[in-house]
């Protein structure tokens, strides 16, 4: 397994304040989830059936995972229910989930923020998150499993980073060792694994990972950065070695 832990120094002029803000919002929402519990988490997550039918589901539904049936408890969400497409991208399912997502945003988000500018980066991030959620909804339009997490939006950041900074060196943990690899290889391998995982997951079966959301966000990130960053370059200062 290849786990990114950092990229090469960028020499950027200003701190990535939007990245810092996004991390702070995600952490605050996660703490709110821990305080309120399942009613908030499941009520404000994206449920595909709710989006495709415009109906806020309440009560217990049964889903199949790994050949076994499991109950899913659904709670009242926002009005209109389509707001969950936005709220879900700031929610997480576990400490490991949020820590992993924030690590990826911390590593790869600063370059894209500086490339696009703060305002454009906010729009970029939200559009990638929405595209990711819609990809999952379209793949499983009658699904009742709540979908949540910043993974889709961050996948957009990864896609943008891969096409704009393919030669940047990324520090990764591989096995028990630490090495560096070009971003093109690290992020290319990541999206290939998402495709293989999605192909091996039947649409009718629930899993703990929304692979289609990752794919949708990644593709959206590539398309959006090519449009939004046209003619833009990073503003940097020289750093000493």
């Amino acid at each position: 397994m290849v786990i990114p832990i950092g990229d090469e120094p960028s020499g950027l002029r200003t701190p990535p304040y939007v990245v810092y803000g996004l991390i702070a919002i995600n952490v605050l929402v996660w703490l709110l989830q821990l305080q309120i519990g399942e009613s908030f988490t499941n009520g404000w997550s994206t449920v595909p059936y709710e989006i495709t039918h415009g109906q806020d589901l309440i009560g217990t539904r049964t889903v199949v995972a790994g050949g076994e049936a499991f109950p899913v408890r659904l709670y009242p969400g926002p009005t209109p229910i389509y707001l969950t497409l936005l709220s879900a991208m700031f929610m997480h399912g576990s400490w490991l989930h949020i820590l992993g997502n924030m690590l990826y945003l911390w590593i790869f988000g600063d370059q894209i923020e500086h490339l696009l500018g703060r305002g454009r980066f906010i729009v970029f991030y939200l559009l990638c998150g929405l595209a990711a959620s819609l990809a999952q909804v379209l793949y499983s339009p009658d699904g009742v499993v709540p979908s949540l997490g910043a993974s889709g939006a961050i996948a957009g950041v990864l896609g943008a980073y891969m096409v704009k900074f393919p030669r940047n060196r990324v520090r990764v943990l591989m096995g028990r060792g630490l090495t560096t690899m070009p971003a093109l290889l690290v992020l290319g391998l990541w999206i290939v694994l998402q495709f293989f995982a999605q192909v091996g997951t039947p649409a009718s079966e629930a899993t703990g990972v929304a692979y289609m959301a990752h794919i949708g966000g990644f593709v959206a990130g590539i398309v959006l950065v090519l449009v939004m960053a046209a003619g833009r370059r990073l503003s940097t200062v020289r750093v000493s070695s």
Side-chain angles (χ1 to χ4, degrees):
M1 179 179 292
V2 176
I3 303 176
I5 60 172
D7 62 348
E8 64 184 8
S10 59
L12 298 173
R13 290 183 181 275
T14 58
Y17 291 117
V18 174
V19 169
Y20 295 163
L22 289 171
I23 291 174
I25 293 172
N26 277 277
V27 171
L28 289 174
V29 173
W30 171 239
L31 294 177
L32 189 62
Q33 288 180 249
L34 292 177
Q35 181 178 9
I36 300 178
E38 185 181 79
S39 61
F40 173 61
T41 298
N42 285 10
W44 287 73
S45 297
T46 299
V47 176
Y49 184 96
E50 293 182 338
I51 302 302
T52 56
H53 293 75
Q55 178 185 352
D56 188 1
L57 298 179
I58 301 173
T60 302
R61 300 292 190 277
T62 300
V63 299
V64 177
E68 298 184 31
F70 296 92
V72 174
R73 289 181 289 272
L74 301 174
Y75 298 84
T79 302
I81 197 62
Y82 305 108
L83 288 175
T84 59
L85 292 169
L86 177 63
S87 60
M89 72 175 75
F90 295 97
M91 306 174 74
H92 291 84
S94 68
W95 280 105
L96 183 61
H97 191 197
I98 188 171
L99 290 175
N101 276 346
M102 295 305 101
L103 174 63
Y104 272 74
L105 180 57
W106 175 270
I107 294 172
F108 300 106
D110 59 341
Q111 300 266 19
I112 305 305
E113 177 181 336
H114 283 85
L115 175 65
L116 295 176
R118 293 171 189 165
R120 288 192 182 195
F121 180 65
I122 293 174
V123 174
F124 169 87
Y125 184 89
L126 294 177
L127 287 178
C128 287
L130 289 174
S133 293
L134 289 173
Q136 188 66 32
V137 168
L138 292 174
Y139 177 72
S140 181
D142 293 322
V144 296
V145 177
S147 177
L148 76 174
S151 307
I154 295 171
V157 173
L158 302 186
Y161 195 105
M162 187 185 75
V163 298
K164 286 296 182 179
F165 308 103
R167 298 181 181 179
N168 278 17
R169 306 298 296 183
V170 179
R171 297 188 299 279
V172 299
L173 285 174
M174 182 180 293
R176 296 182 179 180
L178 179 65
T179 187
T180 62
M181 301 170 63
L184 179 62
L185 180 58
V186 175
L187 301 179
L189 177 61
W190 182 86
I191 190 59
V192 167
L193 291 175
Q194 306 308 305
F195 272 106
F196 274 107
Q198 180 58 61
V199 170
T201 302
S204 60
E205 184 165 302
T207 68
V209 182
Y211 295 110
M212 186 56 71
H214 294 174
I215 296 169
F218 193 89
V219 173
I222 292 175
V223 173
L224 287 171
V225 81
L226 292 176
V227 174
M228 299 176 70
R232 299 176 68 92
R233 295 183 180 180
L234 280 178
S235 177
T236 62
V237 293
R238 188 179 301 276
V239 293
S240 56
S241 57

